[in-house]
Amino acid sequence: EFANGRGVRSPAAQKKHRTTTRHTTHSSSARLKSNMNAPERSACFILDEDNGEVKVEYAADTKVNNAGTFTFNKEDHTVGNLLRMQLLRDPSVRFAGYMMPHPLIHKLRLKVQTSSSTVAPVHVLSSAIDDLASETDFLITQVNNAIDKYKKENDQGVMSQF
Amino acid sequence: LAFQSQLEARNHRQDKPAPPPFPPHLEIMPHRRFPKVEIFEMAPHEMRFLLSDTDASMANSIRRIMIAEVPTLAIDLVEFHENSSVLNDEYIAHRLGLIPLRYQAVDSLKGGNDIQGAFLPMRECVCYERCPRCSVEFELEVNYDKENAKRPEGERDMPITITSKDLKSNNECVSPAHFLNEEEADEAHDEGISIVKIGPGQCLKLKAVARMGVAKEHAKWSPVAVATYRFWPVITINEELCATLTLEQKQELVDCCPDRILELDEVTGKLIEAENAWELATYTEDLRVTQNTMKKRPEDDDFISCVQSKDKFIFQVETTGA
């Protein structure tokens, strides 16, 4: 029994109610009510190119030798920690650190200092990115090989589901 | 081949001689690593594997990307034609968004989940509003009175549960994820993910549009339920010091671990690591405390030490069916 008043209706009343109310509810993303002050959720990973945001900016440090700060727009710890650890493994890097100045503003600051003036922070960062890219490529092939190997070893019909 | 060309490009820039072929010489790229993957267990909806020879930052980044940045399909826009159920429109729309949608290539020999190139993200598609290239449309229409007429006598006039099985898609590859296989569908009592229950005189009619997105935008687009990793435990047993322990003391050490990572070898009377210690070891504080009581001097070495490995990670990933 439904005690909400919208219980059984007479056929006449049902016909009247069946007007197709086509209100397009922007649904299921909880964006409805809070759009007044909060920025759109997609702003945390989509670059705002209309306002002149670029992905990476570099500013050489004036007070410290051989140092510079990179600003990544719309990035977070996923990339920051990875780059920082890779930079620390490079012997020509004297200092490498990253921070997100504010958790609600999606920018990443990566500060790099190299140990000699022959190697610029830009070169060090680009070689770190190259190393990481090749490492992840290698990882992809390894994962595929491991999956194939596992499938062969456990040759069952179930595996064909994936 | 990709590695070789990348290597050549880099070294050309740095004016070094051409490197030897793959695998590259460690001297030229000293800070590269070659991660290894070994799969322990793989089922259609979960997977456990070991990632080794890499760093904690890589493991963490992989985990973060698995949770937040793998694109998936989920219902994003709902047009209500009629809703006279007890829940209001946005509530039902929210529930619809959280339903995992499975993409299965029609040619099922290839396997289910390669959604990579199948749909364009909304922003990149050139269509005006939506098209089959970037979205999937679902329809749901359940009218209590019509359904009630079809039901057998025993179930009449009970509320009907509208479940995800009532969602009909216009793309045959995409459907809500229900159960893994036939057995589970028979065993479970409910029929798909329930959306709302309706009673006499109520009706729900809507059209839903699903799009690709990443979980950074909204958690409904997250493809995993669980993606975690643990460190591989490295158990070192100091043989000489262990020989000074009595049998009762050894038995006490074996028993004090709640995880049973140690065993007492019957033949030799020595302490050895259990077969699947790596799987079980989660809490080793008891072991350390008990050992401290057994040591003659507090600064002696441990008999058995169990530490985290810095470069081996046991991943466990479970998907939602998407």
Side-chain angles (χ1 to χ4, degrees):
Chain A
E1 266 86 63
F2 285 78
N4 57 358
R6 281 200 240 142
V8 184
R9 290 209 203 100
S10 66
Q14 274 179 1
K15 277 197 194 128
K16 267 191 232 163
H17 190 78
R18 202 161 292 161
T19 50
T20 38
T21 42
R22 266 193 97 101
H23 54 280
T24 317
T25 321
H26 206 297
S27 75
S28 48
S29 55
R31 300 184 240 185
L32 261 183
K33 274 136 195 162
S34 53
N35 218 359
M36 269 189 289
N37 298 320
E40 282 219 8
R41 279 295 298 208
S42 53
C44 70
F45 60 97
I46 303 282
L47 268 183
D48 193 8
E49 272 150 1
D50 297 333
N51 286 344
E53 255 190 359
V54 283
K55 192 71 181 178
V56 187
E57 287 166 348
Y58 175 67
D61 202 323
T62 49
K63 297 179 194 154
V64 184
N65 291 338
N66 310 320
T69 309
F70 295 90
T71 311
F72 291 83
N73 277 318
K74 310 299 182 187
E75 285 294 343
D76 64 352
H77 302 278
T78 310
V79 160
N81 198 23
L82 203 54
L83 279 177
R84 178 189 64 100
M85 288 300 285
Q86 184 65 24
L87 282 171
L88 284 175
R89 245 177 275 117
D90 192 339
S92 59
V93 164
R94 187 192 268 173
F95 174 86
Y98 86 99
M99 66 188 286
M100 271 182 92
H102 193 280
L104 292 177
I105 302 177
H106 300 96
K107 280 187 203 241
L108 193 74
R109 271 212 322 233
L110 180 67
K111 191 159 178 181
V112 183
Q113 183 189 15
T114 54
S115 51
S116 72
S117 50
T118 50
V119 186
V122 188
H123 289 155
V124 157
L125 185 68
S126 68
S127 72
I129 293 178
D130 286 339
D131 287 346
L132 283 174
S134 49
E135 185 177 342
T136 45
D137 285 338
F138 188 78
L139 189 59
I140 293 176
T141 53
Q142 284 289 305
V143 168
N144 287 331
N145 291 345
I147 292 179
D148 290 334
K149 194 175 93 164
Y150 188 85
K151 279 193 200 171
K152 273 191 210 139
E153 282 174 12
N154 307 342
D155 206 336
Q156 305 163 20
V158 185
M159 292 294 153
S160 64
Q161 279 183 37
F162 55 151
Chain B
L1 273 178
F3 300 106
Q4 197 165 356
S5 59
Q6 274 182 5
L7 268 180
E8 283 174 14
R10 265 196 63 219
N11 287 319
H12 185 69
R13 203 170 53 221
Q14 294 173 359
D15 289 332
K16 279 192 192 154
F22 182 79
H25 233 309
L26 286 176
E27 298 155 8
I28 298 184
M29 288 209 283
H31 22 280
R32 246 208 73 185
R33 289 164 308 200
F34 299 95
K36 285 204 294 274
V37 175
E38 188 194 313
I39 297 185
F40 293 132
E41 189 188 304
M42 190 155 71
H45 63 288
E46 73 173 309
M47 180 161 155
R48 274 197 310 163
F49 63 95
L50 173 74
L51 180 71
S52 52
D53 295 343
T54 183
D55 196 44
S57 64
M58 175 68 83
N60 194 31
S61 293
I62 290 178
R63 181 193 65 94
R64 284 177 69 102
I65 290 177
M66 274 199 270
I67 294 176
E69 297 187 39
V70 176
T72 328
L73 267 180
I75 291 180
D76 200 30
L77 197 66
V78 181
E79 290 175 0
F80 282 88
H81 294 255
E82 183 168 349
N83 173 22
S84 48
S85 65
V86 293
L87 300 179
N88 49 2
D89 288 348
E90 47 266 21
Y91 195 152
I92 296 183
H94 182 240
R95 289 178 70 85
L96 284 172
L98 292 173
I99 295 175
L101 302 176
R102 176 179 289 161
Y103 175 80
Q104 252 162 342
V106 180
D107 176 10
S108 57
L109 287 177
K110 179 184 169 192
N113 302 331
D114 207 3
I115 202 176
Q116 288 293 328
F119 290 99
L120 284 176
M122 257 307 285
R123 291 177 186 87
E124 295 175 18
C125 193
V126 295
C127 62
Y128 175 58
E129 199 185 311
R130 57 174 185 261
C131 67
R133 187 82 179 88
C134 62
S135 59
V136 180
E137 281 194 12
F138 287 87
E139 283 192 11
L140 185 143
E141 179 173 354
V142 178
N143 187 334
Y144 183 89
D145 299 323
K146 288 186 191 149
E147 291 292 319
N148 208 14
K150 295 182 204 159
R151 286 204 285 184
E153 278 299 325
E155 291 177 24
R156 286 264 167 115
D157 298 331
M158 303 256 295
I160 299 182
T161 309
I162 302 182
T163 67
S164 54
K165 284 205 172 152
D166 299 317
L167 277 171
K168 315 241 173 328
S169 85
N170 72 342
N171 184 341
E172 57 184 1
C173 301
V174 179
S175 66
H178 298 300
F179 299 106
L180 272 184
N181 46 23
E182 299 268 324
E183 303 176 9
E184 222 179 291
D186 288 334
E187 272 181 73
H189 290 297
D190 51 22
E191 314 229 322
I193 303 168
S194 64
I195 300 174
V196 68
K197 294 190 185 189
I198 51 174
Q202 296 179 351
C203 171
L204 181 63
K205 186 169 171 201
L206 54 86
K207 193 190 276 193
V209 175
R211 297 197 193 123
M212 293 275 278
V214 287
K216 268 194 171 177
E217 195 172 343
H218 192 275
K220 69 189 175 191
W221 274 297
S222 176
V224 298
V226 172
T228 58
Y229 69 91
R230 292 183 311 197
F231 295 93
W232 179 276
V234 173
I235 302 174
T236 43
I237 300 179
N238 193 330
E239 293 288 341
E240 307 167 351
L241 288 176
C242 277
T244 63
L245 291 173
T246 65
L247 212 58
E248 290 91 35
Q249 281 179 317
K250 286 185 192 170
Q251 189 61 39
E252 194 186 332
L253 277 178
V254 170
D255 291 334
C256 74
C257 299
D259 301 318
R260 295 265 169 273
I261 54 176
L262 297 173
E263 276 170 2
L264 200 52
D265 193 356
E266 310 253 328
V267 175
T268 58
K270 281 194 200 164
L271 281 172
I272 53 168
E273 198 178 308
E275 277 280 321
N276 46 353
W278 60 268
E279 204 174 337
L280 304 168
T282 46
Y283 179 66
T284 52
E285 195 60 30
D286 277 349
L287 185 62
R288 210 147 35 101
V289 166
T290 321
Q291 281 184 68
N292 282 338
T293 59
M294 286 190 205
K295 283 189 213 165
K296 298 205 183 89
R297 294 171 307 181
E299 59 271 8
D300 265 352
D301 290 334
D302 277 334
F303 302 116
I304 302 171
S305 71
C306 186
V307 291
Q308 296 167 341
S309 156
K310 291 266 179 336
D311 64 350
K312 272 172 138 179
F313 312 97
I314 306 168
F315 270 79
Q316 177 144 1
V317 182
E318 287 180 30
T319 67
T320 57

PDB file of all heavy atoms in Angstrom, chain A residues 44-49 52-58 70-76 79 106-108, chain B residues 216:
ATOM      1  N   CYS A  44      39.466  20.680 -13.522  1.00  0.00           N
ATOM      2  CA  CYS A  44      40.655  20.173 -12.849  1.00  0.00           C
ATOM      3  C   CYS A  44      41.560  19.406 -13.785  1.00  0.00           C
ATOM      4  O   CYS A  44      42.657  19.029 -13.418  1.00  0.00           O
ATOM      5  CB  CYS A  44      40.289  19.334 -11.640  1.00  0.00           C
ATOM      6  SG  CYS A  44      39.551  17.768 -12.025  1.00  0.00           S
ATOM      7  N   PHE A  45      41.108  19.161 -15.034  1.00  0.00           N
ATOM      8  CA  PHE A  45      42.044  18.503 -15.926  1.00  0.00           C
ATOM      9  C   PHE A  45      41.969  19.018 -17.357  1.00  0.00           C
ATOM     10  O   PHE A  45      42.744  18.598 -18.189  1.00  0.00           O
ATOM     11  CB  PHE A  45      41.845  16.981 -15.923  1.00  0.00           C
ATOM     12  CG  PHE A  45      40.473  16.549 -16.355  1.00  0.00           C
ATOM     13  CD1 PHE A  45      40.238  16.149 -17.655  1.00  0.00           C
ATOM     14  CD2 PHE A  45      39.429  16.529 -15.463  1.00  0.00           C
ATOM     15  CE1 PHE A  45      38.992  15.740 -18.049  1.00  0.00           C
ATOM     16  CE2 PHE A  45      38.176  16.130 -15.850  1.00  0.00           C
ATOM     17  CZ  PHE A  45      37.949  15.740 -17.144  1.00  0.00           C
ATOM     18  N   ILE A  46      41.073  19.942 -17.649  1.00  0.00           N
ATOM     19  CA  ILE A  46      40.985  20.489 -19.005  1.00  0.00           C
ATOM     20  C   ILE A  46      41.653  21.855 -19.008  1.00  0.00           C
ATOM     21  O   ILE A  46      41.356  22.707 -18.175  1.00  0.00           O
ATOM     22  CB  ILE A  46      39.508  20.649 -19.432  1.00  0.00           C
ATOM     23  CG1 ILE A  46      38.791  19.319 -19.341  1.00  0.00           C
ATOM     24  CG2 ILE A  46      39.410  21.220 -20.815  1.00  0.00           C
ATOM     25  CD1 ILE A  46      39.081  18.406 -20.478  1.00  0.00           C
ATOM     26  N   LEU A  47      42.555  22.055 -19.960  1.00  0.00           N
ATOM     27  CA  LEU A  47      43.251  23.334 -20.043  1.00  0.00           C
ATOM     28  C   LEU A  47      42.326  24.409 -20.566  1.00  0.00           C
ATOM     29  O   LEU A  47      41.579  24.197 -21.503  1.00  0.00           O
ATOM     30  CB  LEU A  47      44.417  23.207 -21.025  1.00  0.00           C
ATOM     31  CG  LEU A  47      45.764  22.827 -20.466  1.00  0.00           C
ATOM     32  CD1 LEU A  47      46.763  22.825 -21.591  1.00  0.00           C
ATOM     33  CD2 LEU A  47      46.188  23.809 -19.408  1.00  0.00           C
ATOM     34  N   ASP A  48      42.416  25.562 -19.969  1.00  0.00           N
ATOM     35  CA  ASP A  48      41.545  26.665 -20.358  1.00  0.00           C
ATOM     36  C   ASP A  48      42.270  27.485 -21.391  1.00  0.00           C
ATOM     37  O   ASP A  48      42.866  28.527 -21.101  1.00  0.00           O
ATOM     38  CB  ASP A  48      41.241  27.499 -19.101  1.00  0.00           C
ATOM     39  CG  ASP A  48      40.103  28.467 -19.350  1.00  0.00           C
ATOM     40  OD1 ASP A  48      39.484  28.360 -20.416  1.00  0.00           O
ATOM     41  OD2 ASP A  48      39.868  29.305 -18.480  1.00  0.00           O
ATOM     42  N   GLU A  49      42.250  27.009 -22.641  1.00  0.00           N
ATOM     43  CA  GLU A  49      43.102  27.671 -23.631  1.00  0.00           C
ATOM     44  C   GLU A  49      42.573  29.016 -24.057  1.00  0.00           C
ATOM     45  O   GLU A  49      43.315  29.842 -24.567  1.00  0.00           O
ATOM     46  CB  GLU A  49      43.265  26.758 -24.854  1.00  0.00           C
ATOM     47  CG  GLU A  49      44.425  25.817 -24.661  1.00  0.00           C
ATOM     48  CD  GLU A  49      44.233  24.506 -25.377  1.00  0.00           C
ATOM     49  OE1 GLU A  49      43.196  24.344 -26.042  1.00  0.00           O
ATOM     50  OE2 GLU A  49      45.111  23.659 -25.265  1.00  0.00           O
ATOM     51  N   GLY A  52      44.327  31.630 -22.304  1.00  0.00           N
ATOM     52  CA  GLY A  52      45.763  31.646 -22.459  1.00  0.00           C
ATOM     53  C   GLY A  52      46.510  30.768 -21.496  1.00  0.00           C
ATOM     54  O   GLY A  52      47.653  31.049 -21.167  1.00  0.00           O
ATOM     55  N   GLU A  53      45.886  29.699 -21.054  1.00  0.00           N
ATOM     56  CA  GLU A  53      46.633  28.802 -20.177  1.00  0.00           C
ATOM     57  C   GLU A  53      47.437  27.839 -21.024  1.00  0.00           C
ATOM     58  O   GLU A  53      46.908  27.210 -21.921  1.00  0.00           O
ATOM     59  CB  GLU A  53      45.645  28.002 -19.334  1.00  0.00           C
ATOM     60  CG  GLU A  53      45.557  28.468 -17.916  1.00  0.00           C
ATOM     61  CD  GLU A  53      44.772  27.515 -17.052  1.00  0.00           C
ATOM     62  OE1 GLU A  53      44.291  26.519 -17.592  1.00  0.00           O
ATOM     63  OE2 GLU A  53      44.664  27.770 -15.860  1.00  0.00           O
ATOM     64  N   VAL A  54      48.700  27.723 -20.707  1.00  0.00           N
ATOM     65  CA  VAL A  54      49.505  26.707 -21.383  1.00  0.00           C
ATOM     66  C   VAL A  54      49.806  25.610 -20.399  1.00  0.00           C
ATOM     67  O   VAL A  54      49.650  25.765 -19.200  1.00  0.00           O
ATOM     68  CB  VAL A  54      50.827  27.295 -21.908  1.00  0.00           C
ATOM     69  CG1 VAL A  54      50.575  28.092 -23.156  1.00  0.00           C
ATOM     70  CG2 VAL A  54      51.476  28.149 -20.849  1.00  0.00           C
ATOM     71  N   LYS A  55      50.259  24.512 -20.936  1.00  0.00           N
ATOM     72  CA  LYS A  55      50.454  23.363 -20.064  1.00  0.00           C
ATOM     73  C   LYS A  55      51.633  23.583 -19.129  1.00  0.00           C
ATOM     74  O   LYS A  55      51.558  23.312 -17.949  1.00  0.00           O
ATOM     75  CB  LYS A  55      50.690  22.122 -20.925  1.00  0.00           C
ATOM     76  CG  LYS A  55      50.632  20.851 -20.154  1.00  0.00           C
ATOM     77  CD  LYS A  55      49.225  20.568 -19.757  1.00  0.00           C
ATOM     78  CE  LYS A  55      49.129  19.305 -18.951  1.00  0.00           C
ATOM     79  NZ  LYS A  55      47.780  19.052 -18.530  1.00  0.00           N
ATOM     80  N   VAL A  56      52.748  24.037 -19.694  1.00  0.00           N
ATOM     81  CA  VAL A  56      53.968  24.170 -18.893  1.00  0.00           C
ATOM     82  C   VAL A  56      54.525  25.565 -19.069  1.00  0.00           C
ATOM     83  O   VAL A  56      54.578  26.083 -20.176  1.00  0.00           O
ATOM     84  CB  VAL A  56      55.045  23.160 -19.356  1.00  0.00           C
ATOM     85  CG1 VAL A  56      56.214  23.192 -18.420  1.00  0.00           C
ATOM     86  CG2 VAL A  56      54.476  21.780 -19.458  1.00  0.00           C
ATOM     87  N   GLU A  57      54.963  26.126 -17.967  1.00  0.00           N
ATOM     88  CA  GLU A  57      55.673  27.414 -18.033  1.00  0.00           C
ATOM     89  C   GLU A  57      56.953  27.285 -17.245  1.00  0.00           C
ATOM     90  O   GLU A  57      57.004  26.552 -16.262  1.00  0.00           O
ATOM     91  CB  GLU A  57      54.819  28.513 -17.416  1.00  0.00           C
ATOM     92  CG  GLU A  57      53.660  28.913 -18.263  1.00  0.00           C
ATOM     93  CD  GLU A  57      52.670  29.744 -17.458  1.00  0.00           C
ATOM     94  OE1 GLU A  57      52.785  29.810 -16.226  1.00  0.00           O
ATOM     95  OE2 GLU A  57      51.778  30.309 -18.089  1.00  0.00           O
ATOM     96  N   TYR A  58      57.946  28.005 -17.677  1.00  0.00           N
ATOM     97  CA  TYR A  58      59.233  27.904 -17.007  1.00  0.00           C
ATOM     98  C   TYR A  58      59.706  29.286 -16.609  1.00  0.00           C
ATOM     99  O   TYR A  58      59.608  30.228 -17.388  1.00  0.00           O
ATOM    100  CB  TYR A  58      60.260  27.253 -17.942  1.00  0.00           C
ATOM    101  CG  TYR A  58      61.657  27.218 -17.371  1.00  0.00           C
ATOM    102  CD1 TYR A  58      61.950  26.441 -16.264  1.00  0.00           C
ATOM    103  CD2 TYR A  58      62.672  27.971 -17.941  1.00  0.00           C
ATOM    104  CE1 TYR A  58      63.218  26.415 -15.741  1.00  0.00           C
ATOM    105  CE2 TYR A  58      63.951  27.948 -17.423  1.00  0.00           C
ATOM    106  CZ  TYR A  58      64.217  27.165 -16.322  1.00  0.00           C
ATOM    107  OH  TYR A  58      65.483  27.134 -15.804  1.00  0.00           O
ATOM    108  N   PHE A  70      59.208  25.159 -12.839  1.00  0.00           N
ATOM    109  CA  PHE A  70      58.229  24.841 -13.876  1.00  0.00           C
ATOM    110  C   PHE A  70      56.844  24.906 -13.257  1.00  0.00           C
ATOM    111  O   PHE A  70      56.630  24.421 -12.158  1.00  0.00           O
ATOM    112  CB  PHE A  70      58.443  23.417 -14.400  1.00  0.00           C
ATOM    113  CG  PHE A  70      59.739  23.224 -15.111  1.00  0.00           C
ATOM    114  CD1 PHE A  70      60.866  22.833 -14.422  1.00  0.00           C
ATOM    115  CD2 PHE A  70      59.824  23.433 -16.475  1.00  0.00           C
ATOM    116  CE1 PHE A  70      62.066  22.653 -15.076  1.00  0.00           C
ATOM    117  CE2 PHE A  70      61.013  23.256 -17.133  1.00  0.00           C
ATOM    118  CZ  PHE A  70      62.137  22.868 -16.435  1.00  0.00           C
ATOM    119  N   THR A  71      55.910  25.483 -13.985  1.00  0.00           N
ATOM    120  CA  THR A  71      54.527  25.480 -13.528  1.00  0.00           C
ATOM    121  C   THR A  71      53.714  24.673 -14.506  1.00  0.00           C
ATOM    122  O   THR A  71      53.622  25.005 -15.684  1.00  0.00           O
ATOM    123  CB  THR A  71      53.957  26.902 -13.467  1.00  0.00           C
ATOM    124  OG1 THR A  71      54.868  27.728 -12.771  1.00  0.00           O
ATOM    125  CG2 THR A  71      52.636  26.912 -12.742  1.00  0.00           C
ATOM    126  N   PHE A  72      53.119  23.581 -14.026  1.00  0.00           N
ATOM    127  CA  PHE A  72      52.254  22.755 -14.865  1.00  0.00           C
ATOM    128  C   PHE A  72      50.819  23.138 -14.550  1.00  0.00           C
ATOM    129  O   PHE A  72      50.420  23.159 -13.388  1.00  0.00           O
ATOM    130  CB  PHE A  72      52.432  21.273 -14.535  1.00  0.00           C
ATOM    131  CG  PHE A  72      53.758  20.723 -14.937  1.00  0.00           C
ATOM    132  CD1 PHE A  72      54.859  20.879 -14.134  1.00  0.00           C
ATOM    133  CD2 PHE A  72      53.893  20.031 -16.129  1.00  0.00           C
ATOM    134  CE1 PHE A  72      56.087  20.362 -14.501  1.00  0.00           C
ATOM    135  CE2 PHE A  72      55.107  19.501 -16.496  1.00  0.00           C
ATOM    136  CZ  PHE A  72      56.204  19.670 -15.682  1.00  0.00           C
ATOM    137  N   ASN A  73      50.056  23.414 -15.590  1.00  0.00           N
ATOM    138  CA  ASN A  73      48.653  23.731 -15.360  1.00  0.00           C
ATOM    139  C   ASN A  73      47.793  22.492 -15.484  1.00  0.00           C
ATOM    140  O   ASN A  73      47.995  21.665 -16.360  1.00  0.00           O
ATOM    141  CB  ASN A  73      48.173  24.768 -16.375  1.00  0.00           C
ATOM    142  CG  ASN A  73      48.546  26.152 -15.928  1.00  0.00           C
ATOM    143  OD1 ASN A  73      48.420  26.492 -14.759  1.00  0.00           O
ATOM    144  ND2 ASN A  73      49.040  26.958 -16.844  1.00  0.00           N
ATOM    145  N   LYS A  74      46.815  22.375 -14.615  1.00  0.00           N
ATOM    146  CA  LYS A  74      45.857  21.276 -14.644  1.00  0.00           C
ATOM    147  C   LYS A  74      46.550  19.937 -14.491  1.00  0.00           C
ATOM    148  O   LYS A  74      46.300  18.997 -15.204  1.00  0.00           O
ATOM    149  CB  LYS A  74      45.031  21.265 -15.952  1.00  0.00           C
ATOM    150  CG  LYS A  74      44.422  22.568 -16.290  1.00  0.00           C
ATOM    151  CD  LYS A  74      43.466  23.000 -15.227  1.00  0.00           C
ATOM    152  CE  LYS A  74      42.826  24.301 -15.621  1.00  0.00           C
ATOM    153  NZ  LYS A  74      42.018  24.873 -14.577  1.00  0.00           N
ATOM    154  N   GLU A  75      47.450  19.876 -13.530  1.00  0.00           N
ATOM    155  CA  GLU A  75      48.071  18.601 -13.205  1.00  0.00           C
ATOM    156  C   GLU A  75      48.023  18.420 -11.709  1.00  0.00           C
ATOM    157  O   GLU A  75      47.772  19.361 -10.955  1.00  0.00           O
ATOM    158  CB  GLU A  75      49.539  18.566 -13.667  1.00  0.00           C
ATOM    159  CG  GLU A  75      49.701  18.408 -15.137  1.00  0.00           C
ATOM    160  CD  GLU A  75      49.220  17.060 -15.633  1.00  0.00           C
ATOM    161  OE1 GLU A  75      49.059  16.144 -14.818  1.00  0.00           O
ATOM    162  OE2 GLU A  75      48.998  16.939 -16.852  1.00  0.00           O
ATOM    163  N   ASP A  76      48.300  17.209 -11.264  1.00  0.00           N
ATOM    164  CA  ASP A  76      48.264  16.986  -9.817  1.00  0.00           C
ATOM    165  C   ASP A  76      49.360  16.004  -9.428  1.00  0.00           C
ATOM    166  O   ASP A  76      50.295  15.781 -10.171  1.00  0.00           O
ATOM    167  CB  ASP A  76      46.879  16.486  -9.396  1.00  0.00           C
ATOM    168  CG  ASP A  76      46.565  15.145 -10.006  1.00  0.00           C
ATOM    169  OD1 ASP A  76      47.338  14.678 -10.862  1.00  0.00           O
ATOM    170  OD2 ASP A  76      45.543  14.556  -9.634  1.00  0.00           O
ATOM    171  N   VAL A  79      51.316  13.188 -11.601  1.00  0.00           N
ATOM    172  CA  VAL A  79      52.466  13.510 -12.439  1.00  0.00           C
ATOM    173  C   VAL A  79      53.601  14.084 -11.613  1.00  0.00           C
ATOM    174  O   VAL A  79      54.773  13.805 -11.848  1.00  0.00           O
ATOM    175  CB  VAL A  79      52.012  14.507 -13.528  1.00  0.00           C
ATOM    176  CG1 VAL A  79      53.182  15.235 -14.100  1.00  0.00           C
ATOM    177  CG2 VAL A  79      51.267  13.784 -14.592  1.00  0.00           C
ATOM    178  N   HIS A 106      44.416  23.898  -9.566  1.00  0.00           N
ATOM    179  CA  HIS A 106      45.139  22.746 -10.095  1.00  0.00           C
ATOM    180  C   HIS A 106      46.382  23.149 -10.848  1.00  0.00           C
ATOM    181  O   HIS A 106      46.435  23.115 -12.067  1.00  0.00           O
ATOM    182  CB  HIS A 106      44.191  21.926 -10.982  1.00  0.00           C
ATOM    183  CG  HIS A 106      43.008  21.440 -10.202  1.00  0.00           C
ATOM    184  ND1 HIS A 106      41.813  22.090 -10.191  1.00  0.00           N
ATOM    185  CD2 HIS A 106      42.878  20.407  -9.356  1.00  0.00           C
ATOM    186  CE1 HIS A 106      40.978  21.455  -9.387  1.00  0.00           C
ATOM    187  NE2 HIS A 106      41.590  20.441  -8.868  1.00  0.00           N
ATOM    188  N   LYS A 107      47.345  23.551 -10.087  1.00  0.00           N
ATOM    189  CA  LYS A 107      48.635  23.886 -10.666  1.00  0.00           C
ATOM    190  C   LYS A 107      49.689  23.127  -9.907  1.00  0.00           C
ATOM    191  O   LYS A 107      49.545  22.842  -8.724  1.00  0.00           O
ATOM    192  CB  LYS A 107      48.934  25.376 -10.470  1.00  0.00           C
ATOM    193  CG  LYS A 107      48.269  26.281 -11.437  1.00  0.00           C
ATOM    194  CD  LYS A 107      48.799  27.677 -11.215  1.00  0.00           C
ATOM    195  CE  LYS A 107      47.797  28.676 -11.724  1.00  0.00           C
ATOM    196  NZ  LYS A 107      48.331  29.501 -12.794  1.00  0.00           N
ATOM    197  N   LEU A 108      50.778  22.858 -10.586  1.00  0.00           N
ATOM    198  CA  LEU A 108      51.850  22.108  -9.966  1.00  0.00           C
ATOM    199  C   LEU A 108      53.111  22.920 -10.132  1.00  0.00           C
ATOM    200  O   LEU A 108      53.408  23.393 -11.220  1.00  0.00           O
ATOM    201  CB  LEU A 108      51.977  20.783 -10.701  1.00  0.00           C
ATOM    202  CG  LEU A 108      52.805  19.708 -10.071  1.00  0.00           C
ATOM    203  CD1 LEU A 108      52.044  19.151  -8.919  1.00  0.00           C
ATOM    204  CD2 LEU A 108      53.051  18.645 -11.082  1.00  0.00           C
TER     205      LEU A 108
ATOM    206  N   LYS B 216      37.873  11.909 -12.725  1.00  0.00           N
ATOM    207  CA  LYS B 216      38.225  13.203 -12.162  1.00  0.00           C
ATOM    208  C   LYS B 216      37.041  14.154 -12.218  1.00  0.00           C
ATOM    209  O   LYS B 216      36.927  15.069 -11.408  1.00  0.00           O
ATOM    210  CB  LYS B 216      39.377  13.812 -12.957  1.00  0.00           C
ATOM    211  CG  LYS B 216      40.703  13.484 -12.412  1.00  0.00           C
ATOM    212  CD  LYS B 216      41.743  14.391 -13.036  1.00  0.00           C
ATOM    213  CE  LYS B 216      43.051  14.235 -12.338  1.00  0.00           C
ATOM    214  NZ  LYS B 216      44.080  15.041 -12.952  1.00  0.00           N
TER     215      LYS B 216
END
